[in-house]
Amino acid sequence: MSYFDAASSAPLHPVARQALLASLDEGWADPSRLYREGRRARMLLDAAREAAAETVGCRPDELVFTSSGTRAVHTGIAGALAGRRRVGGHLIVSAVEHSSVLHSADMHEADGGTVTRIAVDRTGAVTAEAYERALRQDTALACLQSANHEVGTVQPVGAVAEVCRAAGVPLLVDAAQSLGWGPVEGDWSLLAASAHKWGGPAGVGLLVVRKGVRFAPQGPVDERESGRAAGFENLPAIVAAAASLRAVRAEAAQEAVRLRELTDRIRTRVPHLVPDVEVVGDPERRLPGIVTFSCLYVDGETLLHELDRAGFSVSSGSSCTSSTLTPSHVLKAMGVLSEGNVRVSLPLGTTEADVERFLEVLPGAVTAVREKLGASLPTTIATEDALIVDALGKRCPIPVIELAKVIGEVPLGGTVRVLSDDEAARLDIPAWCEMRGQEYVGEEPADQGCAYLVRRVS
Protein backbone atom coordinates (compact mmCIF):
# COMPACT_ATOMS: atom_id res chain seq x y z
CA MET A 1 0.00 0.00 0.00
CA SER A 2 1.39 3.42 -1.00
CA TYR A 3 0.35 6.31 1.23
CA PHE A 4 0.13 9.46 -0.92
CA ASP A 5 -1.76 11.78 1.45
CA ALA A 6 1.01 13.37 3.50
CA ALA A 7 -0.57 16.83 3.16
CA SER A 8 -3.44 15.58 5.35
CA SER A 9 -1.19 13.92 7.89
CA ALA A 10 2.37 12.73 7.45
CA PRO A 11 3.46 9.33 8.78
CA LEU A 12 5.11 9.52 12.19
CA HIS A 13 8.80 10.26 11.70
CA PRO A 14 11.20 7.71 13.31
CA VAL A 15 12.77 10.49 15.39
CA ALA A 16 9.30 11.47 16.67
CA ARG A 17 8.64 7.88 17.70
CA GLN A 18 11.97 7.61 19.54
CA ALA A 19 11.52 10.95 21.32
CA LEU A 20 7.94 10.11 22.26
CA LEU A 21 8.84 6.78 23.82
CA ALA A 22 11.84 8.22 25.65
CA SER A 23 9.93 11.19 27.08
CA LEU A 24 7.09 9.00 28.36
CA ASP A 25 9.42 7.91 31.16
CA GLU A 26 10.82 11.37 31.89
CA GLY A 27 8.08 13.83 31.00
CA TRP A 28 5.02 12.70 32.93
CA ALA A 29 5.29 15.14 35.86
CA ASP A 30 3.94 18.69 36.10
CA PRO A 31 6.61 21.02 34.64
CA SER A 32 5.37 23.87 36.83
CA ARG A 33 6.38 22.04 40.06
CA LEU A 34 9.66 22.62 41.85
CA TYR A 35 10.45 19.05 42.94
CA ARG A 36 12.84 16.82 41.01
CA GLU A 37 10.34 15.20 38.66
CA GLY A 38 8.81 18.59 37.87
CA ARG A 39 12.23 20.13 37.19
CA ARG A 40 13.06 17.26 34.84
CA ALA A 41 9.80 17.80 32.97
CA ARG A 42 10.47 21.55 32.81
CA MET A 43 13.90 20.91 31.30
CA LEU A 44 12.32 18.77 28.57
CA LEU A 45 9.68 21.42 27.86
CA ASP A 46 12.23 24.24 27.72
CA ALA A 47 14.52 22.23 25.44
CA ALA A 48 11.62 21.43 23.10
CA ARG A 49 10.61 25.09 22.98
CA GLU A 50 14.16 26.22 22.22
CA ALA A 51 14.55 23.60 19.48
CA ALA A 52 11.24 24.52 17.87
CA ALA A 53 11.95 28.25 18.09
CA GLU A 54 15.36 27.84 16.49
CA THR A 55 13.81 25.89 13.61
CA VAL A 56 10.97 28.39 13.14
CA GLY A 57 13.27 31.40 13.45
CA CYS A 58 11.85 33.13 16.51
CA ARG A 59 12.63 33.66 20.20
CA PRO A 60 11.70 30.82 22.58
CA ASP A 61 9.49 33.17 24.63
CA GLU A 62 7.52 34.02 21.48
CA LEU A 63 6.46 30.40 20.89
CA VAL A 64 3.79 28.41 22.72
CA PHE A 65 2.53 24.87 22.19
CA THR A 66 -1.19 24.37 21.60
CA SER A 67 -3.41 21.31 21.38
CA SER A 68 -3.54 21.45 17.55
CA GLY A 69 -2.76 23.58 14.53
CA THR A 70 -6.41 24.54 14.31
CA ARG A 71 -6.35 25.72 17.92
CA ALA A 72 -3.21 27.73 17.17
CA VAL A 73 -4.99 29.47 14.28
CA HIS A 74 -8.14 30.19 16.28
CA THR A 75 -6.17 31.47 19.27
CA GLY A 76 -3.86 33.56 17.11
CA ILE A 77 -6.63 35.25 15.14
CA ALA A 78 -8.87 35.88 18.15
CA GLY A 79 -6.02 37.21 20.28
CA ALA A 80 -4.62 39.50 17.59
CA LEU A 81 -8.07 40.92 16.75
CA ALA A 82 -8.82 41.52 20.43
CA GLY A 83 -5.44 43.11 21.03
CA ARG A 84 -6.05 45.60 18.23
CA ARG A 85 -9.76 46.24 18.78
CA ARG A 86 -9.10 49.97 19.27
CA VAL A 87 -7.72 50.11 15.71
CA GLY A 88 -10.84 48.53 14.26
CA GLY A 89 -12.52 45.27 13.38
CA HIS A 90 -11.41 44.70 9.80
CA LEU A 91 -9.84 41.32 8.95
CA ILE A 92 -8.18 40.31 5.66
CA VAL A 93 -7.89 36.67 4.56
CA SER A 94 -7.28 34.96 1.23
CA ALA A 95 -10.09 32.99 -0.39
CA VAL A 96 -8.03 29.79 -0.30
CA GLU A 97 -7.07 29.73 3.38
CA HIS A 98 -7.46 26.56 5.43
CA SER A 99 -10.95 26.10 6.85
CA SER A 100 -9.68 26.95 10.35
CA VAL A 101 -8.86 30.49 9.18
CA LEU A 102 -12.09 30.86 7.23
CA HIS A 103 -14.17 29.62 10.17
CA SER A 104 -12.51 32.22 12.39
CA ALA A 105 -13.27 34.87 9.78
CA ASP A 106 -16.91 33.78 9.62
CA MET A 107 -17.22 33.99 13.41
CA HIS A 108 -15.58 37.42 13.44
CA GLU A 109 -18.06 38.59 10.81
CA ALA A 110 -20.99 37.14 12.75
CA ASP A 111 -19.83 39.09 15.82
CA GLY A 112 -19.98 42.38 13.91
CA GLY A 113 -16.52 42.55 12.37
CA THR A 114 -15.78 43.03 8.68
CA VAL A 115 -13.83 40.65 6.46
CA THR A 116 -12.19 41.12 3.06
CA ARG A 117 -11.50 37.88 1.20
CA ILE A 118 -8.68 38.25 -1.33
CA ALA A 119 -9.24 36.53 -4.67
CA VAL A 120 -6.62 34.28 -6.27
CA ASP A 121 -5.62 33.55 -9.85
CA ARG A 122 -6.02 30.16 -11.57
CA THR A 123 -2.83 28.90 -9.91
CA GLY A 124 -4.23 29.65 -6.44
CA ALA A 125 -1.88 32.55 -5.70
CA VAL A 126 -2.64 35.98 -4.26
CA THR A 127 -0.71 39.17 -5.00
CA ALA A 128 0.82 41.63 -2.59
CA GLU A 129 -0.94 44.40 -4.52
CA ALA A 130 -4.33 42.86 -3.71
CA TYR A 131 -3.50 42.87 0.01
CA GLU A 132 -2.22 46.44 -0.23
CA ARG A 133 -5.50 47.57 -1.83
CA ALA A 134 -7.51 45.79 0.87
CA LEU A 135 -5.70 47.48 3.77
CA ARG A 136 -7.75 50.14 5.58
CA GLN A 137 -7.40 52.44 8.53
CA ASP A 138 -9.43 50.00 10.63
CA THR A 139 -7.61 46.84 9.54
CA ALA A 140 -6.67 44.90 12.66
CA LEU A 141 -5.14 41.78 11.14
CA ALA A 142 -4.26 40.10 7.83
CA CYS A 143 -3.89 36.35 7.32
CA LEU A 144 -2.12 34.39 4.59
CA GLN A 145 -1.09 30.76 4.31
CA SER A 146 2.52 30.08 3.38
CA ALA A 147 1.45 27.38 0.90
CA ASN A 148 -1.89 25.96 -0.11
CA HIS A 149 -2.90 22.63 1.37
CA GLU A 150 -4.88 21.39 -1.66
CA VAL A 151 -2.78 22.42 -4.67
CA GLY A 152 0.63 23.19 -3.14
CA THR A 153 0.94 26.74 -4.48
CA VAL A 154 3.44 28.80 -2.45
CA GLN A 155 2.17 32.26 -1.55
CA PRO A 156 4.22 35.51 -1.70
CA VAL A 157 4.37 35.83 2.08
CA GLY A 158 7.45 38.05 2.08
CA ALA A 159 5.92 40.64 -0.23
CA VAL A 160 2.59 40.60 1.62
CA ALA A 161 4.36 40.92 4.98
CA GLU A 162 6.21 43.96 3.64
CA VAL A 163 3.06 45.85 2.64
CA CYS A 164 1.37 44.91 5.92
CA ARG A 165 4.37 46.03 7.95
CA ALA A 166 4.44 49.36 6.10
CA ALA A 167 0.78 49.87 7.05
CA GLY A 168 1.35 48.84 10.67
CA VAL A 169 -0.87 45.75 10.33
CA PRO A 170 0.26 42.39 11.74
CA LEU A 171 0.29 39.40 9.38
CA LEU A 172 -0.61 35.92 10.67
CA VAL A 173 0.86 33.11 8.57
CA ASP A 174 -0.62 29.61 8.55
CA ALA A 175 2.59 27.63 7.92
CA ALA A 176 1.13 24.17 8.48
CA GLN A 177 2.05 22.80 5.05
CA SER A 178 5.44 24.45 4.58
CA LEU A 179 7.17 24.59 7.96
CA GLY A 180 8.77 21.17 7.55
CA TRP A 181 10.41 22.34 4.33
CA GLY A 182 11.95 25.57 5.58
CA PRO A 183 11.47 28.82 7.49
CA VAL A 184 8.73 31.20 6.41
CA GLU A 185 10.05 34.20 4.52
CA GLY A 186 9.34 37.81 5.37
CA ASP A 187 8.71 39.97 8.41
CA TRP A 188 5.52 38.25 9.59
CA SER A 189 3.98 38.91 13.02
CA LEU A 190 2.23 35.67 14.00
CA LEU A 191 2.62 32.08 12.83
CA ALA A 192 0.65 28.87 13.35
CA ALA A 193 1.59 25.30 12.47
CA SER A 194 0.66 21.70 13.19
CA ALA A 195 3.04 18.88 14.12
CA HIS A 196 1.26 16.05 12.33
CA LYS A 197 1.85 17.82 9.01
CA TRP A 198 5.64 17.31 9.24
CA GLY A 199 5.70 13.84 10.84
CA GLY A 200 5.20 14.74 14.48
CA PRO A 201 2.36 13.36 16.61
CA ALA A 202 -1.17 14.67 16.24
CA GLY A 203 -2.44 16.97 18.97
CA VAL A 204 0.44 19.47 18.99
CA GLY A 205 0.37 22.89 17.38
CA LEU A 206 2.69 25.88 17.41
CA LEU A 207 1.68 29.50 17.87
CA VAL A 208 4.28 32.24 17.53
CA VAL A 209 3.47 35.83 18.52
CA ARG A 210 6.34 38.22 17.85
CA LYS A 211 7.36 40.70 20.52
CA GLY A 212 5.61 44.01 20.03
CA VAL A 213 2.41 42.52 18.58
CA ARG A 214 -0.64 43.54 20.57
CA PHE A 215 -2.26 40.31 21.69
CA ALA A 216 -5.08 39.64 24.15
CA PRO A 217 -5.84 35.94 24.78
CA GLN A 218 -9.55 35.19 24.67
CA GLY A 219 -11.53 32.85 26.90
CA PRO A 220 -10.43 31.35 30.21
CA VAL A 221 -6.65 31.38 30.66
CA ASP A 222 -4.21 29.95 33.16
CA GLU A 223 -0.53 30.31 33.91
CA ARG A 224 0.62 27.76 31.34
CA GLU A 225 2.12 28.66 27.96
CA SER A 226 2.16 32.40 28.68
CA GLY A 227 -1.61 32.29 29.19
CA ARG A 228 -2.16 31.51 25.49
CA ALA A 229 -2.83 27.76 25.71
CA ALA A 230 -4.68 26.66 28.81
CA GLY A 231 -4.38 23.15 30.16
CA PHE A 232 -1.74 20.59 31.08
CA GLU A 233 0.95 20.26 28.43
CA ASN A 234 1.17 16.96 26.53
CA LEU A 235 4.89 16.92 27.16
CA PRO A 236 5.85 13.63 25.44
CA ALA A 237 4.03 14.73 22.27
CA ILE A 238 5.60 18.21 22.46
CA VAL A 239 9.09 16.75 22.76
CA ALA A 240 8.42 14.42 19.83
CA ALA A 241 7.04 17.31 17.74
CA ALA A 242 10.10 19.49 18.31
CA ALA A 243 12.55 16.66 17.72
CA SER A 244 10.87 15.58 14.48
CA LEU A 245 10.69 19.16 13.17
CA ARG A 246 14.43 19.51 13.59
CA ALA A 247 15.02 16.10 11.97
CA VAL A 248 12.73 16.80 9.03
CA ARG A 249 14.41 20.14 8.40
CA ALA A 250 17.80 18.44 8.32
CA GLU A 251 16.52 16.20 5.50
CA ALA A 252 14.46 18.84 3.73
CA ALA A 253 16.92 20.15 1.16
CA GLN A 254 17.82 16.72 -0.17
CA GLU A 255 14.28 15.34 -0.03
CA ALA A 256 12.86 18.45 -1.71
CA VAL A 257 14.99 17.86 -4.80
CA ARG A 258 14.00 14.20 -4.98
CA LEU A 259 10.27 14.67 -4.35
CA ARG A 260 10.08 17.63 -6.72
CA GLU A 261 11.42 15.42 -9.50
CA LEU A 262 8.79 12.79 -8.72
CA THR A 263 5.91 15.29 -8.66
CA ASP A 264 7.22 16.88 -11.87
CA ARG A 265 7.03 13.43 -13.40
CA ILE A 266 3.39 13.11 -12.38
CA ARG A 267 2.55 16.64 -13.60
CA THR A 268 4.14 15.95 -16.97
CA ARG A 269 2.95 12.42 -17.65
CA VAL A 270 -0.61 12.36 -16.31
CA PRO A 271 -2.03 14.60 -19.12
CA HIS A 272 -0.43 12.25 -21.68
CA LEU A 273 -1.63 9.09 -19.96
CA VAL A 274 -5.18 10.24 -19.23
CA PRO A 275 -7.19 12.37 -21.69
CA ASP A 276 -9.17 15.40 -20.49
CA VAL A 277 -7.09 16.16 -17.41
CA GLU A 278 -6.28 19.56 -15.92
CA VAL A 279 -3.21 19.82 -13.67
CA VAL A 280 -3.83 22.66 -11.21
CA GLY A 281 -1.64 24.85 -9.02
CA ASP A 282 1.46 26.86 -9.81
CA PRO A 283 3.92 24.78 -11.88
CA GLU A 284 6.97 26.47 -10.32
CA ARG A 285 6.15 28.12 -6.96
CA ARG A 286 4.81 25.06 -5.18
CA LEU A 287 5.69 22.65 -2.41
CA PRO A 288 7.95 19.75 -3.43
CA GLY A 289 5.62 16.88 -2.60
CA ILE A 290 2.17 18.00 -3.79
CA VAL A 291 0.63 17.63 -7.24
CA THR A 292 -3.08 18.01 -7.94
CA PHE A 293 -5.08 17.27 -11.08
CA SER A 294 -8.73 17.04 -12.09
CA CYS A 295 -10.19 14.51 -14.51
CA LEU A 296 -13.20 15.34 -16.65
CA TYR A 297 -16.18 12.95 -16.56
CA VAL A 298 -15.07 11.33 -13.30
CA ASP A 299 -16.72 11.13 -9.90
CA GLY A 300 -14.03 12.01 -7.38
CA GLU A 301 -15.15 9.66 -4.63
CA THR A 302 -15.46 6.71 -6.99
CA LEU A 303 -11.99 7.38 -8.40
CA LEU A 304 -10.50 7.50 -4.91
CA HIS A 305 -12.09 4.13 -4.13
CA GLU A 306 -10.65 2.68 -7.36
CA LEU A 307 -7.19 3.91 -6.46
CA ASP A 308 -7.57 2.63 -2.89
CA ARG A 309 -8.37 -0.85 -4.24
CA ALA A 310 -5.24 -0.58 -6.37
CA GLY A 311 -3.15 0.19 -3.30
CA PHE A 312 -2.89 3.98 -3.30
CA SER A 313 -4.14 6.35 -0.60
CA VAL A 314 -4.82 9.78 -2.12
CA SER A 315 -7.24 12.59 -1.30
CA SER A 316 -9.50 14.91 -3.22
CA GLY A 317 -11.06 18.36 -3.16
CA SER A 318 -13.83 17.16 -5.43
CA SER A 319 -17.41 18.04 -4.61
CA CYS A 320 -18.30 14.37 -4.57
CA THR A 321 -16.06 13.60 -1.58
CA SER A 322 -17.92 15.99 0.70
CA SER A 323 -21.05 15.25 2.66
CA THR A 324 -22.31 18.69 1.62
CA LEU A 325 -21.82 17.91 -2.09
CA THR A 326 -20.32 21.36 -2.64
CA PRO A 327 -17.03 22.03 -4.43
CA SER A 328 -13.81 22.61 -2.57
CA HIS A 329 -13.56 26.29 -1.65
CA VAL A 330 -9.98 26.30 -2.97
CA LEU A 331 -10.85 24.92 -6.41
CA LYS A 332 -13.89 27.18 -6.53
CA ALA A 333 -11.80 30.28 -5.79
CA MET A 334 -9.29 29.26 -8.46
CA GLY A 335 -12.03 28.72 -11.04
CA VAL A 336 -10.71 25.29 -12.03
CA LEU A 337 -12.40 21.95 -12.53
CA SER A 338 -13.60 20.32 -9.31
CA GLU A 339 -14.85 16.99 -10.62
CA GLY A 340 -12.50 14.01 -10.49
CA ASN A 341 -10.00 15.95 -8.40
CA VAL A 342 -6.99 14.01 -7.09
CA ARG A 343 -4.33 15.37 -4.73
CA VAL A 344 -1.15 13.35 -4.54
CA SER A 345 1.06 14.41 -1.62
CA LEU A 346 4.19 12.32 -1.27
CA PRO A 347 5.66 11.63 2.19
CA LEU A 348 9.37 11.58 2.88
CA GLY A 349 10.96 8.43 1.54
CA THR A 350 8.55 7.87 -1.36
CA THR A 351 10.33 5.80 -3.98
CA GLU A 352 10.49 6.16 -7.74
CA ALA A 353 8.95 2.68 -8.03
CA ASP A 354 5.89 3.84 -6.02
CA VAL A 355 5.31 6.74 -8.42
CA GLU A 356 5.83 4.62 -11.52
CA ARG A 357 3.30 2.07 -10.28
CA PHE A 358 0.82 4.90 -9.60
CA LEU A 359 1.25 6.13 -13.18
CA GLU A 360 0.62 2.61 -14.43
CA VAL A 361 -2.55 2.18 -12.37
CA LEU A 362 -4.12 5.63 -12.86
CA PRO A 363 -5.24 5.37 -16.53
CA GLY A 364 -7.12 2.13 -15.91
CA ALA A 365 -8.77 3.51 -12.78
CA VAL A 366 -9.97 6.64 -14.60
CA THR A 367 -11.22 4.60 -17.57
CA ALA A 368 -13.16 2.26 -15.27
CA VAL A 369 -14.89 5.16 -13.54
CA ARG A 370 -15.70 6.92 -16.81
CA GLU A 371 -17.24 3.74 -18.20
CA LYS A 372 -19.47 3.42 -15.14
CA LEU A 373 -20.67 7.02 -15.41
CA GLY A 374 -21.00 7.09 -19.20
CA ALA A 375 -24.02 4.81 -19.29
CA SER A 376 -26.42 7.60 -18.34
CA LEU A 377 -28.21 9.08 -21.36
CA PRO A 378 -29.07 12.79 -21.42
CA THR A 379 -32.57 14.08 -21.76
CA THR A 380 -32.41 16.67 -24.53
CA ILE A 381 -35.00 19.01 -25.99
CA ALA A 382 -34.37 20.78 -29.28
CA THR A 383 -35.63 24.35 -29.73
CA GLU A 384 -35.11 26.84 -32.52
CA ASP A 385 -32.12 28.53 -30.95
CA ALA A 386 -30.75 26.04 -28.43
CA LEU A 387 -30.45 22.45 -27.30
CA ILE A 388 -31.65 21.93 -23.73
CA VAL A 389 -30.02 19.28 -21.53
CA ASP A 390 -32.09 18.38 -18.49
CA ALA A 391 -29.62 17.27 -15.81
CA LEU A 392 -31.81 18.17 -12.84
CA GLY A 393 -31.36 15.82 -9.92
CA LYS A 394 -28.04 14.54 -11.27
CA ARG A 395 -24.79 15.25 -9.46
CA CYS A 396 -21.57 16.29 -11.13
CA PRO A 397 -19.90 15.05 -13.21
CA ILE A 398 -23.14 13.86 -14.89
CA PRO A 399 -24.22 17.37 -16.10
CA VAL A 400 -20.81 17.86 -17.71
CA ILE A 401 -20.84 14.37 -19.24
CA GLU A 402 -24.23 15.04 -20.79
CA LEU A 403 -23.09 18.43 -22.07
CA ALA A 404 -20.09 16.78 -23.74
CA LYS A 405 -22.33 14.20 -25.40
CA VAL A 406 -24.57 16.74 -27.14
CA ILE A 407 -22.27 19.70 -27.89
CA GLY A 408 -21.47 18.20 -31.29
CA GLU A 409 -25.16 18.10 -32.22
CA VAL A 410 -25.51 21.87 -32.39
CA PRO A 411 -24.05 23.90 -35.28
CA LEU A 412 -21.11 26.24 -34.76
CA GLY A 413 -22.47 29.28 -32.96
CA GLY A 414 -25.35 27.24 -31.55
CA THR A 415 -26.13 27.10 -27.84
CA VAL A 416 -26.64 24.35 -25.28
CA ARG A 417 -28.60 25.13 -22.11
CA VAL A 418 -27.76 22.75 -19.27
CA LEU A 419 -30.33 22.61 -16.48
CA SER A 420 -28.73 21.59 -13.19
CA ASP A 421 -29.43 21.96 -9.49
CA ASP A 422 -25.95 20.83 -8.40
CA GLU A 423 -23.81 23.71 -7.12
CA ALA A 424 -20.68 22.07 -8.53
CA ALA A 425 -22.01 22.64 -12.05
CA ARG A 426 -21.50 26.39 -11.57
CA LEU A 427 -17.77 25.69 -11.37
CA ASP A 428 -17.35 22.64 -13.58
CA ILE A 429 -19.25 23.76 -16.68
CA PRO A 430 -17.18 26.96 -17.17
CA ALA A 431 -14.01 24.95 -16.46
CA TRP A 432 -15.07 22.35 -19.05
CA CYS A 433 -15.62 25.11 -21.61
CA GLU A 434 -12.11 26.46 -21.06
CA MET A 435 -10.59 23.00 -21.35
CA ARG A 436 -12.54 22.08 -24.50
CA GLY A 437 -12.40 25.42 -26.32
CA GLN A 438 -16.09 26.27 -26.05
CA GLU A 439 -17.62 29.58 -24.94
CA TYR A 440 -19.30 29.81 -21.57
CA VAL A 441 -22.04 32.42 -21.97
CA GLY A 442 -23.30 32.53 -18.39
CA GLU A 443 -26.17 31.30 -16.26
CA GLU A 444 -29.85 32.11 -16.06
CA PRO A 445 -32.42 31.37 -13.37
CA ALA A 446 -34.67 28.39 -14.06
CA ASP A 447 -37.77 26.94 -12.45
CA GLN A 448 -35.43 24.49 -10.72
CA GLY A 449 -31.73 25.11 -10.28
CA CYS A 450 -29.98 27.14 -12.99
CA ALA A 451 -29.60 27.08 -16.74
CA TYR A 452 -25.96 27.19 -17.84
CA LEU A 453 -25.45 28.48 -21.37
CA VAL A 454 -22.64 27.17 -23.56
CA ARG A 455 -21.99 28.30 -27.15
CA ARG A 456 -20.23 25.92 -29.53
CA VAL A 457 -17.25 27.66 -31.12
CA SER A 458 -15.12 24.69 -32.15
Side-chain angles (χ1 to χ4, degrees):
M1 190 75 182
S2 296
Y3 180 75
F4 283 1
D5 194 22
S8 292
S9 188
L12 193 66
H13 194 280
V15 169
R17 184 182 301 276
Q18 294 168 5
L20 182 65
L21 293 175
S23 59
L24 284 173
D25 292 330
E26 297 291 331
W28 50 268
D30 187 343
S32 67
R33 301 307 178 192
L34 299 179
Y35 42 70
R36 181 176 53 190
E37 294 86 356
R39 294 196 306 271
R40 188 180 299 136
R42 169 56 63 179
M43 289 175 62
L44 288 174
L45 180 58
D46 289 345
R49 195 185 315 279
E50 289 175 6
E54 181 183 2
T55 310
V56 171
C58 66
R59 294 170 36 159
D61 58 353
E62 294 174 331
L63 185 149
V64 299
F65 295 103
T66 65
S67 59
S68 68
T70 294
R71 173 51 57 193
V73 166
H74 291 170
T75 300
I77 292 177
L81 287 172
R84 286 174 50 83
R85 62 167 57 95
R86 291 185 179 180
V87 173
H90 179 229
L91 171 66
I92 302 174
V93 300
S94 84
V96 294
E97 294 298 315
H98 187 268
S99 58
S100 60
V101 174
L102 299 182
H103 290 161
S104 288
D106 290 342
M107 179 172 290
H108 176 63
E109 207 166 32
D111 289 341
T114 57
V115 178
T116 297
R117 295 169 178 83
I118 303 297
V120 298
D121 60 21
R122 283 185 65 85
T123 71
V126 302
T127 65
E129 292 76 16
Y131 269 76
E132 189 171 23
R133 289 192 298 269
L135 290 167
R136 307 186 326 204
Q137 291 293 325
D138 64 337
T139 302
L141 178 67
C143 300
L144 179 62
Q145 59 194 197
S146 55
N148 187 259
H149 51 288
E150 287 193 26
V151 301
T153 296
V154 173
Q155 301 289 2
V157 172
V160 172
E162 185 176 343
V163 301
C164 289
R165 178 69 64 178
V169 174
L171 176 68
L172 182 148
V173 179
D174 173 13
Q177 287 298 339
S178 74
L179 194 59
W181 294 109
V184 177
E185 64 177 357
D187 195 9
W188 44 267
S189 301
L190 302 97
L191 180 143
S194 185
H196 74 98
K197 299 287 189 177
W198 66 67
V204 179
L206 304 181
L207 173 62
V208 178
V209 181
R210 295 283 200 192
K211 292 296 181 182
V213 175
R214 292 187 176 276
F215 192 89
Q218 299 301 287
V221 298
D222 59 25
E223 70 282 358
R224 299 181 188 275
E225 294 302 296
S226 303
R228 294 173 183 168
F232 199 94
E233 297 93 345
N234 184 351
L235 189 51
I238 287 172
V239 171
S244 59
L245 179 58
R246 175 178 281 181
V248 166
R249 277 288 191 85
E251 307 166 351
Q254 184 175 352
E255 273 294 281
V257 172
R258 202 177 63 82
L259 292 185
R260 193 175 294 279
E261 191 281 327
L262 294 177
T263 53
D264 283 344
R265 189 178 306 187
I266 296 173
R267 289 182 65 90
T268 301
R269 289 177 56 185
V270 164
H272 296 287
L273 294 171
V274 181
D276 298 316
V277 163
E278 180 181 19
V279 181
V280 300
D282 194 297
E284 301 295 335
R285 284 184 56 84
R286 60 185 177 84
L287 292 175
I290 296 180
V291 56
T292 305
F293 55 88
S294 298
C295 307
L296 274 173
Y297 322 129
V298 169
D299 174 280
E301 187 172 8
T302 304
L303 178 57
L304 263 58
H305 287 319
E306 286 286 336
L307 291 171
D308 183 44
R309 282 194 288 269
F312 292 95
S313 302
V314 299
S315 65
S316 173
S318 170
S319 59
C320 297
T321 63
S322 168
S323 60
T324 60
L325 291 172
T326 57
S328 150
H329 72 278
V330 172
L331 301 178
K332 187 175 181 180
M334 292 168 63
V336 299
L337 190 70
S338 75
E339 65 185 67
N341 178 261
V342 174
R343 181 187 67 182
V344 174
S345 49
L346 306 178
L348 302 179
T350 299
T351 66
E352 183 178 353
D354 290 333
V355 171
E356 285 298 325
R357 192 168 71 86
F358 175 76
L359 292 171
E360 290 176 5
V361 165
L362 180 66
V366 173
T367 298
V369 175
R370 283 175 173 167
E371 287 176 350
K372 291 177 183 178
L373 293 174
S376 175
L377 294 175
T379 301
T380 60
I381 303 171
T383 65
E384 291 185 0
D385 59 348
L387 194 66
I388 300 176
V389 174
D390 186 356
L392 293 170
K394 299 177 181 178
R395 297 296 180 186
C396 278
I398 299 300
V400 176
I401 292 174
E402 298 190 348
L403 167 62
K405 287 179 179 179
V406 302
I407 190 70
E409 298 179 15
V410 299
L412 289 174
T415 302
V416 178
R417 300 177 79 247
V418 182
L419 303 178
S420 176
D421 51 5
D422 182 6
E423 184 183 341
R426 180 171 285 111
L427 179 63
D428 289 344
I429 289 176
W432 178 89
C433 291
E434 180 158 334
M435 290 179 66
R436 301 312 298 265
Q438 307 299 343
E439 180 185 354
Y440 178 66
V441 179
E443 65 178 79
E444 297 177 347
D447 292 340
Q448 298 181 57
C450 289
Y452 301 94
L453 278 64
V454 176
R455 181 175 292 114
R456 184 186 175 193
V457 296
S458 64

